[in-house]
């Protein structure tokens, strides 16, 4: 299910990014996080999962994870808009390298020689693919690398949060749900500051785009994005 939703997210997301007259990674990110937030509120309202009870101190601990999640999504959309989907995910295949590095730094988990050895073909493969990639450009490459760093930082710190005293009030589904909602709230001022209201229906219609088809594909991308992340 994770692979299937991830594949369709990338297909729909690339279709949306390709037809937009301007690169709008912040707006696309805010839309995806907004769609995920709607799914989460429906989950809580329908009592499919218990609503978490959070204090201000707990929200303060989760806010940095939300910022990392939001920025990681922005950089993923930047990379997908600049290079081929296949190349973005080739670069993102180096995530295990960041996981090992950050787990050692934040959690004190020292990797074994076998684990370190397994990273050599991963890093070497990404380097080889980058050297021979037809659609290569540095913005797309570094955006994908920044997404790796931010997403794996979020994962490692989430693991530490779930393993601490917060485990009594927060399970993994609710932690990700709160991260998603906070990410959406953080993405709004960034979207308005960086891109304004370029994604308005009037603007899109003036460019000759099929607004209904664009919204359907963007909604499907948002659904698949939230699904595979969940």
């Amino acid at each position: 299910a994770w692979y299937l939703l991830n594949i369709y997210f990338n297909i729909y997301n690339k279709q949306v990014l390709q037809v937009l007259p301007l690169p709008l990674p912040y707006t696309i990110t805010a839309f995806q996080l907004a769609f995920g937030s709607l799914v989460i509120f429906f989950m809580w309202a329908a009592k499919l999962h218990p609503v978490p009870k959070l204090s201000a101190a707990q929200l303060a601990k989760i806010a940095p994870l939300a910022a990392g999640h939001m920025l990681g999504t922005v950089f993923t959309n930047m990379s997908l808009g600049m290079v081929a989907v296949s190349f973005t995910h080739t670069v993102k295949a180096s995530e295990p390298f960041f996981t090992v590095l950050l787990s050692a730094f934040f959690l004190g988990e020292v990797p074994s020689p076998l684990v370190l050895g397994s990273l050599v073909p991963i890093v070497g493969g990404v380097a080889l693919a980058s050297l021979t990639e037809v659609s290569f450009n540095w913005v797309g490459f570094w955006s994908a690398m920044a997404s790796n760093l931010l997403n794996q930082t979020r994962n490692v710190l989430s693991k530490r949060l779930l393993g601490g005293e917060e485990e009594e009030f927060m399970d993994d589904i609710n932690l990700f749900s709160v991260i998603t909602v906070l990410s959406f709230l953080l993405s709004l001022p960034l979207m308005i500051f960086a891109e304004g209201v370029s994604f308005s229906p009037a603007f899109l219609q003036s460019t000759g785009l099929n607004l209904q088809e664009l919204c359907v594909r963007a909604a499907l991308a948002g659904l698949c994005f939230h699904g595979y992340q969940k």
Side-chain angles (χ1 to χ4, degrees):
W2 186 93
Y3 273 110
L4 189 65
L5 289 167
N6 191 289
I7 289 168
Y8 277 100
F9 160 71
N10 285 288
I11 292 172
Y12 291 130
N13 202 34
K14 184 66 174 180
Q15 288 174 339
V16 171
L17 290 167
Q18 279 183 324
V19 300
L20 288 174
L22 297 170
L24 300 171
Y26 299 99
T27 302
I28 294 297
T29 297
F31 184 90
Q32 290 165 353
L33 294 171
F35 196 91
S37 298
L38 289 175
V39 173
I40 289 164
F41 285 125
F42 173 79
M43 175 188 73
W44 285 336
K47 298 183 179 180
L48 300 175
H49 201 78
V51 180
K53 296 179 180 179
L54 298 170
S55 66
Q58 292 158 354
L59 284 173
K61 291 181 179 180
I62 299 173
L65 305 183
H69 179 62
M70 182 268 294
L71 290 173
T73 307
V74 168
F75 282 119
T76 296
N77 285 326
M78 281 185 179
S79 182
L80 287 171
M82 298 295 296
V83 297
V85 171
S86 56
F87 179 61
T88 295
H89 282 273
T90 299
V91 176
K92 286 176 72 64
S94 61
E95 281 188 354
F97 171 80
F98 290 95
T99 303
V100 169
L101 183 68
L102 294 167
S103 293
F105 183 77
F106 288 113
L107 304 179
E109 296 180 357
V110 180
S112 68
L114 286 176
V115 170
L116 291 174
S118 71
L119 296 177
V120 174
I122 294 175
V123 175
V126 170
L128 181 63
S130 299
L131 288 172
T132 57
E133 173 58 38
V134 175
S135 69
F136 180 87
N137 70 66
W138 285 109
V139 174
F141 174 80
W142 286 115
S143 294
M145 292 296 283
S147 174
N148 282 345
L149 179 61
L150 288 163
N151 286 335
Q152 294 313 303
T153 300
R154 176 205 64 196
N155 289 347
V156 170
L157 293 179
S158 293
K159 181 178 179 180
R160 186 171 72 175
L161 196 64
L162 286 169
E165 60 184 12
E166 286 81 4
E167 191 173 14
E168 295 180 1
F169 73 88
M170 183 78 67
D171 59 19
D172 50 357
I173 290 179
N174 271 337
L175 176 59
F176 176 69
S177 297
V178 174
I179 286 174
T180 299
V181 174
L182 289 179
S183 297
F184 167 62
L185 296 176
L186 291 171
S187 71
L188 285 178
L190 186 61
M191 176 194 74
I192 295 171
F193 176 78
E195 297 168 353
V197 290
S198 300
F199 204 48
S200 65
F203 171 79
L204 293 175
Q205 284 182 335
S206 69
T207 62
L209 291 174
N210 185 328
L211 188 58
Q212 181 178 356
E213 183 179 354
L214 179 68
C215 289
V216 168
R217 293 181 186 276
L220 288 171
L223 179 63
C224 293
F225 172 77
H226 182 74
Y228 91 77
Q229 291 275 0
K230 181 83 81 176

